[in-house]
Amino acid sequence: MFAGQTAARILKCVVCAAGELARLADTLSSERSRLTDRDSSIKRLESELKRAQDKAEEQDKALKSNQEGLRSVTATLRSFLQRSIDVVHNIVRLFALQSSNGSMISSTKLL
């Protein structure tokens, strides 16, 4: 009878251990699934980050190009303004000369 009780206790422990192993297997499976989902989310976020970085680089290039264009336009406007100022100064000088000499200046000399 002692052997039968021992065998029953051992069998009960084996059944408990098997139940615990099954529970641990379920936990492991759910954790694996959760980690797989997390890994997928991380990969998706990395992909979105890469797209955002690429877009930012494109916008940076466009901004630099626009800055170069603005520098060129600014230089052209500055040059045009300086030439306009020079023309106005020349016209004022010619009118001053005309009034001091009392003579007529032809329109071709103004330009």
PDB file of all heavy atoms in Angstrom, residues 19-51:
ATOM      1  N   GLY A  19       0.674  20.413 -15.924  1.00  0.00           N
ATOM      2  CA  GLY A  19      -0.219  21.575 -15.966  1.00  0.00           C
ATOM      3  C   GLY A  19       0.578  22.880 -15.929  1.00  0.00           C
ATOM      4  O   GLY A  19       0.283  23.836 -16.654  1.00  0.00           O
ATOM      5  N   GLU A  20       1.579  22.914 -15.068  1.00  0.00           N
ATOM      6  CA  GLU A  20       2.432  24.100 -14.959  1.00  0.00           C
ATOM      7  C   GLU A  20       3.198  24.333 -16.255  1.00  0.00           C
ATOM      8  O   GLU A  20       3.312  25.465 -16.724  1.00  0.00           O
ATOM      9  CB  GLU A  20       3.399  23.936 -13.776  1.00  0.00           C
ATOM     10  CG  GLU A  20       4.227  25.151 -13.472  1.00  0.00           C
ATOM     11  CD  GLU A  20       3.413  26.356 -13.012  1.00  0.00           C
ATOM     12  OE1 GLU A  20       2.268  26.214 -12.548  1.00  0.00           O
ATOM     13  OE2 GLU A  20       3.941  27.479 -13.128  1.00  0.00           O
ATOM     14  N   LEU A  21       3.703  23.251 -16.855  1.00  0.00           N
ATOM     15  CA  LEU A  21       4.402  23.372 -18.133  1.00  0.00           C
ATOM     16  C   LEU A  21       3.469  23.896 -19.230  1.00  0.00           C
ATOM     17  O   LEU A  21       3.868  24.718 -20.060  1.00  0.00           O
ATOM     18  CB  LEU A  21       5.011  22.034 -18.550  1.00  0.00           C
ATOM     19  CG  LEU A  21       6.278  21.610 -17.796  1.00  0.00           C
ATOM     20  CD1 LEU A  21       6.691  20.206 -18.224  1.00  0.00           C
ATOM     21  CD2 LEU A  21       7.406  22.592 -18.045  1.00  0.00           C
ATOM     22  N   ALA A  22       2.234  23.416 -19.226  1.00  0.00           N
ATOM     23  CA  ALA A  22       1.255  23.887 -20.211  1.00  0.00           C
ATOM     24  C   ALA A  22       0.971  25.369 -20.014  1.00  0.00           C
ATOM     25  O   ALA A  22       0.896  26.142 -20.978  1.00  0.00           O
ATOM     26  CB  ALA A  22      -0.030  23.076 -20.111  1.00  0.00           C
ATOM     27  N   ARG A  23       0.830  25.783 -18.743  1.00  0.00           N
ATOM     28  CA  ARG A  23       0.598  27.197 -18.436  1.00  0.00           C
ATOM     29  C   ARG A  23       1.794  28.039 -18.867  1.00  0.00           C
ATOM     30  O   ARG A  23       1.646  29.103 -19.478  1.00  0.00           O
ATOM     31  CB  ARG A  23       0.336  27.374 -16.937  1.00  0.00           C
ATOM     32  CG  ARG A  23      -0.094  28.783 -16.551  1.00  0.00           C
ATOM     33  CD  ARG A  23      -0.183  28.959 -15.046  1.00  0.00           C
ATOM     34  NE  ARG A  23       1.096  28.838 -14.366  1.00  0.00           N
ATOM     35  CZ  ARG A  23       2.063  29.784 -14.387  1.00  0.00           C
ATOM     36  NH1 ARG A  23       1.886  30.893 -15.067  1.00  0.00           N
ATOM     37  NH2 ARG A  23       3.180  29.605 -13.729  1.00  0.00           N
ATOM     38  N   LEU A  24       3.009  27.569 -18.583  1.00  0.00           N
ATOM     39  CA  LEU A  24       4.216  28.286 -18.990  1.00  0.00           C
ATOM     40  C   LEU A  24       4.332  28.349 -20.517  1.00  0.00           C
ATOM     41  O   LEU A  24       4.768  29.365 -21.077  1.00  0.00           O
ATOM     42  CB  LEU A  24       5.457  27.631 -18.393  1.00  0.00           C
ATOM     43  CG  LEU A  24       5.641  27.815 -16.890  1.00  0.00           C
ATOM     44  CD1 LEU A  24       6.824  26.974 -16.392  1.00  0.00           C
ATOM     45  CD2 LEU A  24       5.855  29.277 -16.540  1.00  0.00           C
ATOM     46  N   ALA A  25       3.933  27.280 -21.204  1.00  0.00           N
ATOM     47  CA  ALA A  25       3.960  27.272 -22.672  1.00  0.00           C
ATOM     48  C   ALA A  25       2.998  28.319 -23.222  1.00  0.00           C
ATOM     49  O   ALA A  25       3.318  29.024 -24.192  1.00  0.00           O
ATOM     50  CB  ALA A  25       3.624  25.888 -23.195  1.00  0.00           C
ATOM     51  N   ASP A  26       1.809  28.441 -22.627  1.00  0.00           N
ATOM     52  CA  ASP A  26       0.848  29.467 -23.051  1.00  0.00           C
ATOM     53  C   ASP A  26       1.410  30.866 -22.820  1.00  0.00           C
ATOM     54  O   ASP A  26       1.285  31.752 -23.676  1.00  0.00           O
ATOM     55  CB  ASP A  26      -0.478  29.312 -22.288  1.00  0.00           C
ATOM     56  CG  ASP A  26      -1.296  28.117 -22.751  1.00  0.00           C
ATOM     57  OD1 ASP A  26      -1.001  27.598 -23.852  1.00  0.00           O
ATOM     58  OD2 ASP A  26      -2.220  27.721 -22.014  1.00  0.00           O
ATOM     59  N   THR A  27       2.013  31.065 -21.629  1.00  0.00           N
ATOM     60  CA  THR A  27       2.616  32.358 -21.309  1.00  0.00           C
ATOM     61  C   THR A  27       3.722  32.687 -22.303  1.00  0.00           C
ATOM     62  O   THR A  27       3.813  33.807 -22.809  1.00  0.00           O
ATOM     63  CB  THR A  27       3.181  32.361 -19.874  1.00  0.00           C
ATOM     64  OG1 THR A  27       2.123  32.058 -18.963  1.00  0.00           O
ATOM     65  CG2 THR A  27       3.793  33.693 -19.515  1.00  0.00           C
ATOM     66  N   LEU A  28       4.555  31.696 -22.587  1.00  0.00           N
ATOM     67  CA  LEU A  28       5.651  31.892 -23.542  1.00  0.00           C
ATOM     68  C   LEU A  28       5.107  32.238 -24.925  1.00  0.00           C
ATOM     69  O   LEU A  28       5.607  33.143 -25.594  1.00  0.00           O
ATOM     70  CB  LEU A  28       6.516  30.633 -23.611  1.00  0.00           C
ATOM     71  CG  LEU A  28       7.693  30.670 -24.576  1.00  0.00           C
ATOM     72  CD1 LEU A  28       8.687  31.748 -24.169  1.00  0.00           C
ATOM     73  CD2 LEU A  28       8.383  29.310 -24.606  1.00  0.00           C
ATOM     74  N   SER A  29       4.058  31.552 -25.333  1.00  0.00           N
ATOM     75  CA  SER A  29       3.453  31.811 -26.641  1.00  0.00           C
ATOM     76  C   SER A  29       2.892  33.227 -26.716  1.00  0.00           C
ATOM     77  O   SER A  29       3.088  33.936 -27.701  1.00  0.00           O
ATOM     78  CB  SER A  29       2.349  30.793 -26.902  1.00  0.00           C
ATOM     79  OG  SER A  29       1.712  31.063 -28.120  1.00  0.00           O
ATOM     80  N   SER A  30       2.193  33.645 -25.661  1.00  0.00           N
ATOM     81  CA  SER A  30       1.621  34.997 -25.669  1.00  0.00           C
ATOM     82  C   SER A  30       2.726  36.055 -25.618  1.00  0.00           C
ATOM     83  O   SER A  30       2.628  37.094 -26.277  1.00  0.00           O
ATOM     84  CB  SER A  30       0.618  35.183 -24.534  1.00  0.00           C
ATOM     85  OG  SER A  30       1.269  35.130 -23.288  1.00  0.00           O
ATOM     86  N   GLU A  31       3.783  35.794 -24.869  1.00  0.00           N
ATOM     87  CA  GLU A  31       4.916  36.736 -24.818  1.00  0.00           C
ATOM     88  C   GLU A  31       5.607  36.816 -26.182  1.00  0.00           C
ATOM     89  O   GLU A  31       5.989  37.896 -26.634  1.00  0.00           O
ATOM     90  CB  GLU A  31       5.920  36.330 -23.746  1.00  0.00           C
ATOM     91  CG  GLU A  31       5.483  36.657 -22.332  1.00  0.00           C
ATOM     92  CD  GLU A  31       5.299  38.145 -22.127  1.00  0.00           C
ATOM     93  OE1 GLU A  31       6.207  38.932 -22.451  1.00  0.00           O
ATOM     94  OE2 GLU A  31       4.225  38.537 -21.630  1.00  0.00           O
ATOM     95  N   ARG A  32       5.757  35.657 -26.836  1.00  0.00           N
ATOM     96  CA  ARG A  32       6.371  35.631 -28.168  1.00  0.00           C
ATOM     97  C   ARG A  32       5.519  36.446 -29.139  1.00  0.00           C
ATOM     98  O   ARG A  32       6.032  37.230 -29.933  1.00  0.00           O
ATOM     99  CB  ARG A  32       6.513  34.197 -28.657  1.00  0.00           C
ATOM    100  CG  ARG A  32       7.205  34.106 -30.010  1.00  0.00           C
ATOM    101  CD  ARG A  32       7.369  32.688 -30.495  1.00  0.00           C
ATOM    102  NE  ARG A  32       8.234  31.945 -29.611  1.00  0.00           N
ATOM    103  CZ  ARG A  32       7.991  30.717 -29.175  1.00  0.00           C
ATOM    104  NH1 ARG A  32       6.894  30.086 -29.537  1.00  0.00           N
ATOM    105  NH2 ARG A  32       8.830  30.091 -28.376  1.00  0.00           N
ATOM    106  N   SER A  33       4.207  36.290 -29.060  1.00  0.00           N
ATOM    107  CA  SER A  33       3.299  37.039 -29.925  1.00  0.00           C
ATOM    108  C   SER A  33       3.402  38.542 -29.641  1.00  0.00           C
ATOM    109  O   SER A  33       3.446  39.360 -30.565  1.00  0.00           O
ATOM    110  CB  SER A  33       1.876  36.554 -29.705  1.00  0.00           C
ATOM    111  OG  SER A  33       0.973  37.302 -30.459  1.00  0.00           O
ATOM    112  N   ARG A  34       3.429  38.880 -28.360  1.00  0.00           N
ATOM    113  CA  ARG A  34       3.547  40.284 -27.965  1.00  0.00           C
ATOM    114  C   ARG A  34       4.855  40.884 -28.471  1.00  0.00           C
ATOM    115  O   ARG A  34       4.891  42.003 -29.003  1.00  0.00           O
ATOM    116  CB  ARG A  34       3.462  40.399 -26.438  1.00  0.00           C
ATOM    117  CG  ARG A  34       3.361  41.817 -25.914  1.00  0.00           C
ATOM    118  CD  ARG A  34       3.275  41.848 -24.396  1.00  0.00           C
ATOM    119  NE  ARG A  34       4.451  41.340 -23.731  1.00  0.00           N
ATOM    120  CZ  ARG A  34       5.588  42.009 -23.558  1.00  0.00           C
ATOM    121  NH1 ARG A  34       5.696  43.232 -24.020  1.00  0.00           N
ATOM    122  NH2 ARG A  34       6.616  41.475 -22.937  1.00  0.00           N
ATOM    123  N   LEU A  35       5.956  40.137 -28.344  1.00  0.00           N
ATOM    124  CA  LEU A  35       7.254  40.619 -28.817  1.00  0.00           C
ATOM    125  C   LEU A  35       7.286  40.742 -30.342  1.00  0.00           C
ATOM    126  O   LEU A  35       7.892  41.669 -30.885  1.00  0.00           O
ATOM    127  CB  LEU A  35       8.378  39.704 -28.328  1.00  0.00           C
ATOM    128  CG  LEU A  35       8.665  39.775 -26.825  1.00  0.00           C
ATOM    129  CD1 LEU A  35       9.697  38.716 -26.438  1.00  0.00           C
ATOM    130  CD2 LEU A  35       9.145  41.161 -26.423  1.00  0.00           C
ATOM    131  N   THR A  36       6.630  39.819 -31.013  1.00  0.00           N
ATOM    132  CA  THR A  36       6.550  39.895 -32.476  1.00  0.00           C
ATOM    133  C   THR A  36       5.785  41.149 -32.886  1.00  0.00           C
ATOM    134  O   THR A  36       6.192  41.863 -33.813  1.00  0.00           O
ATOM    135  CB  THR A  36       5.868  38.637 -33.044  1.00  0.00           C
ATOM    136  OG1 THR A  36       6.641  37.492 -32.663  1.00  0.00           O
ATOM    137  CG2 THR A  36       5.755  38.692 -34.549  1.00  0.00           C
ATOM    138  N   ASP A  37       4.667  41.422 -32.190  1.00  0.00           N
ATOM    139  CA  ASP A  37       3.895  42.637 -32.468  1.00  0.00           C
ATOM    140  C   ASP A  37       4.731  43.883 -32.202  1.00  0.00           C
ATOM    141  O   ASP A  37       4.720  44.839 -32.990  1.00  0.00           O
ATOM    142  CB  ASP A  37       2.623  42.682 -31.620  1.00  0.00           C
ATOM    143  CG  ASP A  37       1.601  41.629 -32.026  1.00  0.00           C
ATOM    144  OD1 ASP A  37       1.754  41.047 -33.123  1.00  0.00           O
ATOM    145  OD2 ASP A  37       0.675  41.382 -31.230  1.00  0.00           O
ATOM    146  N   ARG A  38       5.461  43.869 -31.106  1.00  0.00           N
ATOM    147  CA  ARG A  38       6.310  45.009 -30.757  1.00  0.00           C
ATOM    148  C   ARG A  38       7.405  45.190 -31.811  1.00  0.00           C
ATOM    149  O   ARG A  38       7.694  46.310 -32.232  1.00  0.00           O
ATOM    150  CB  ARG A  38       6.947  44.811 -29.383  1.00  0.00           C
ATOM    151  CG  ARG A  38       7.802  46.010 -28.977  1.00  0.00           C
ATOM    152  CD  ARG A  38       8.444  45.817 -27.643  1.00  0.00           C
ATOM    153  NE  ARG A  38       7.448  46.006 -26.605  1.00  0.00           N
ATOM    154  CZ  ARG A  38       7.672  45.807 -25.329  1.00  0.00           C
ATOM    155  NH1 ARG A  38       8.862  45.395 -24.931  1.00  0.00           N
ATOM    156  NH2 ARG A  38       6.728  46.004 -24.452  1.00  0.00           N
ATOM    157  N   ASP A  39       7.984  44.075 -32.251  1.00  0.00           N
ATOM    158  CA  ASP A  39       9.024  44.135 -33.285  1.00  0.00           C
ATOM    159  C   ASP A  39       8.452  44.717 -34.578  1.00  0.00           C
ATOM    160  O   ASP A  39       9.089  45.546 -35.227  1.00  0.00           O
ATOM    161  CB  ASP A  39       9.602  42.739 -33.526  1.00  0.00           C
ATOM    162  CG  ASP A  39      10.802  42.763 -34.444  1.00  0.00           C
ATOM    163  OD1 ASP A  39      11.729  43.568 -34.205  1.00  0.00           O
ATOM    164  OD2 ASP A  39      10.814  41.977 -35.414  1.00  0.00           O
ATOM    165  N   SER A  40       7.247  44.300 -34.934  1.00  0.00           N
ATOM    166  CA  SER A  40       6.590  44.840 -36.136  1.00  0.00           C
ATOM    167  C   SER A  40       6.350  46.341 -35.985  1.00  0.00           C
ATOM    168  O   SER A  40       6.560  47.108 -36.931  1.00  0.00           O
ATOM    169  CB  SER A  40       5.267  44.127 -36.391  1.00  0.00           C
ATOM    170  OG  SER A  40       5.486  42.775 -36.678  1.00  0.00           O
ATOM    171  N   SER A  41       5.917  46.750 -34.800  1.00  0.00           N
ATOM    172  CA  SER A  41       5.680  48.177 -34.546  1.00  0.00           C
ATOM    173  C   SER A  41       6.988  48.965 -34.651  1.00  0.00           C
ATOM    174  O   SER A  41       7.020  50.059 -35.228  1.00  0.00           O
ATOM    175  CB  SER A  41       5.070  48.390 -33.162  1.00  0.00           C
ATOM    176  OG  SER A  41       3.788  47.827 -33.104  1.00  0.00           O
ATOM    177  N   ILE A  42       8.040  48.407 -34.103  1.00  0.00           N
ATOM    178  CA  ILE A  42       9.348  49.079 -34.167  1.00  0.00           C
ATOM    179  C   ILE A  42       9.804  49.217 -35.611  1.00  0.00           C
ATOM    180  O   ILE A  42      10.267  50.281 -36.029  1.00  0.00           O
ATOM    181  CB  ILE A  42      10.390  48.324 -33.311  1.00  0.00           C
ATOM    182  CG1 ILE A  42      10.085  48.516 -31.822  1.00  0.00           C
ATOM    183  CG2 ILE A  42      11.805  48.783 -33.628  1.00  0.00           C
ATOM    184  CD1 ILE A  42      10.906  47.636 -30.903  1.00  0.00           C
ATOM    185  N   LYS A  43       9.650  48.154 -36.387  1.00  0.00           N
ATOM    186  CA  LYS A  43      10.044  48.212 -37.795  1.00  0.00           C
ATOM    187  C   LYS A  43       9.209  49.233 -38.556  1.00  0.00           C
ATOM    188  O   LYS A  43       9.724  49.971 -39.396  1.00  0.00           O
ATOM    189  CB  LYS A  43       9.924  46.833 -38.436  1.00  0.00           C
ATOM    190  CG  LYS A  43      11.016  45.891 -37.987  1.00  0.00           C
ATOM    191  CD  LYS A  43      10.898  44.540 -38.633  1.00  0.00           C
ATOM    192  CE  LYS A  43      12.017  43.623 -38.115  1.00  0.00           C
ATOM    193  NZ  LYS A  43      11.901  42.280 -38.656  1.00  0.00           N
ATOM    194  N   ARG A  44       7.909  49.293 -38.259  1.00  0.00           N
ATOM    195  CA  ARG A  44       7.039  50.276 -38.909  1.00  0.00           C
ATOM    196  C   ARG A  44       7.470  51.691 -38.541  1.00  0.00           C
ATOM    197  O   ARG A  44       7.589  52.572 -39.401  1.00  0.00           O
ATOM    198  CB  ARG A  44       5.581  50.047 -38.503  1.00  0.00           C
ATOM    199  CG  ARG A  44       4.596  51.008 -39.148  1.00  0.00           C
ATOM    200  CD  ARG A  44       3.173  50.769 -38.669  1.00  0.00           C
ATOM    201  NE  ARG A  44       3.020  50.676 -37.235  1.00  0.00           N
ATOM    202  CZ  ARG A  44       2.968  51.710 -36.395  1.00  0.00           C
ATOM    203  NH1 ARG A  44       3.066  52.940 -36.876  1.00  0.00           N
ATOM    204  NH2 ARG A  44       2.819  51.529 -35.102  1.00  0.00           N
ATOM    205  N   LEU A  45       7.769  51.907 -37.254  1.00  0.00           N
ATOM    206  CA  LEU A  45       8.219  53.231 -36.810  1.00  0.00           C
ATOM    207  C   LEU A  45       9.567  53.599 -37.421  1.00  0.00           C
ATOM    208  O   LEU A  45       9.796  54.756 -37.794  1.00  0.00           O
ATOM    209  CB  LEU A  45       8.289  53.277 -35.278  1.00  0.00           C
ATOM    210  CG  LEU A  45       6.947  53.246 -34.560  1.00  0.00           C
ATOM    211  CD1 LEU A  45       7.151  53.098 -33.062  1.00  0.00           C
ATOM    212  CD2 LEU A  45       6.137  54.491 -34.879  1.00  0.00           C
ATOM    213  N   GLU A  46      10.458  52.627 -37.533  1.00  0.00           N
ATOM    214  CA  GLU A  46      11.755  52.888 -38.166  1.00  0.00           C
ATOM    215  C   GLU A  46      11.557  53.274 -39.626  1.00  0.00           C
ATOM    216  O   GLU A  46      12.233  54.176 -40.130  1.00  0.00           O
ATOM    217  CB  GLU A  46      12.657  51.661 -38.056  1.00  0.00           C
ATOM    218  CG  GLU A  46      13.223  51.434 -36.677  1.00  0.00           C
ATOM    219  CD  GLU A  46      13.991  50.122 -36.548  1.00  0.00           C
ATOM    220  OE1 GLU A  46      13.790  49.210 -37.386  1.00  0.00           O
ATOM    221  OE2 GLU A  46      14.793  50.013 -35.606  1.00  0.00           O
ATOM    222  N   SER A  47      10.627  52.604 -40.295  1.00  0.00           N
ATOM    223  CA  SER A  47      10.334  52.919 -41.695  1.00  0.00           C
ATOM    224  C   SER A  47       9.764  54.332 -41.813  1.00  0.00           C
ATOM    225  O   SER A  47      10.158  55.101 -42.701  1.00  0.00           O
ATOM    226  CB  SER A  47       9.350  51.891 -42.250  1.00  0.00           C
ATOM    227  OG  SER A  47       8.985  52.208 -43.556  1.00  0.00           O
ATOM    228  N   GLU A  48       8.845  54.678 -40.919  1.00  0.00           N
ATOM    229  CA  GLU A  48       8.270  56.026 -40.923  1.00  0.00           C
ATOM    230  C   GLU A  48       9.343  57.069 -40.632  1.00  0.00           C
ATOM    231  O   GLU A  48       9.361  58.139 -41.243  1.00  0.00           O
ATOM    232  CB  GLU A  48       7.148  56.127 -39.898  1.00  0.00           C
ATOM    233  CG  GLU A  48       5.895  55.383 -40.290  1.00  0.00           C
ATOM    234  CD  GLU A  48       4.822  55.407 -39.210  1.00  0.00           C
ATOM    235  OE1 GLU A  48       4.952  56.183 -38.240  1.00  0.00           O
ATOM    236  OE2 GLU A  48       3.853  54.639 -39.330  1.00  0.00           O
ATOM    237  N   LEU A  49      10.230  56.762 -39.703  1.00  0.00           N
ATOM    238  CA  LEU A  49      11.318  57.676 -39.376  1.00  0.00           C
ATOM    239  C   LEU A  49      12.229  57.883 -40.581  1.00  0.00           C
ATOM    240  O   LEU A  49      12.617  59.003 -40.888  1.00  0.00           O
ATOM    241  CB  LEU A  49      12.128  57.138 -38.184  1.00  0.00           C
ATOM    242  CG  LEU A  49      13.350  57.954 -37.771  1.00  0.00           C
ATOM    243  CD1 LEU A  49      12.950  59.358 -37.337  1.00  0.00           C
ATOM    244  CD2 LEU A  49      14.097  57.234 -36.664  1.00  0.00           C
ATOM    245  N   LYS A  50      12.535  56.803 -41.283  1.00  0.00           N
ATOM    246  CA  LYS A  50      13.386  56.890 -42.476  1.00  0.00           C
ATOM    247  C   LYS A  50      12.720  57.760 -43.531  1.00  0.00           C
ATOM    248  O   LYS A  50      13.375  58.614 -44.148  1.00  0.00           O
ATOM    249  CB  LYS A  50      13.657  55.473 -43.019  1.00  0.00           C
ATOM    250  CG  LYS A  50      14.442  55.443 -44.285  1.00  0.00           C
ATOM    251  CD  LYS A  50      15.872  55.842 -44.058  1.00  0.00           C
ATOM    252  CE  LYS A  50      16.672  55.621 -45.335  1.00  0.00           C
ATOM    253  NZ  LYS A  50      17.449  56.752 -45.721  1.00  0.00           N
ATOM    254  N   ARG A  51      11.407  57.561 -43.747  1.00  0.00           N
ATOM    255  CA  ARG A  51      10.690  58.383 -44.724  1.00  0.00           C
ATOM    256  C   ARG A  51      10.709  59.853 -44.296  1.00  0.00           C
ATOM    257  O   ARG A  51      10.914  60.747 -45.128  1.00  0.00           O
ATOM    258  CB  ARG A  51       9.256  57.908 -44.878  1.00  0.00           C
ATOM    259  CG  ARG A  51       9.102  56.709 -45.783  1.00  0.00           C
ATOM    260  CD  ARG A  51       7.649  56.463 -46.173  1.00  0.00           C
ATOM    261  NE  ARG A  51       6.770  56.228 -45.040  1.00  0.00           N
ATOM    262  CZ  ARG A  51       6.529  55.044 -44.492  1.00  0.00           C
ATOM    263  NH1 ARG A  51       7.105  53.970 -44.986  1.00  0.00           N
ATOM    264  NH2 ARG A  51       5.705  54.927 -43.476  1.00  0.00           N
TER     265      ARG A  51
END
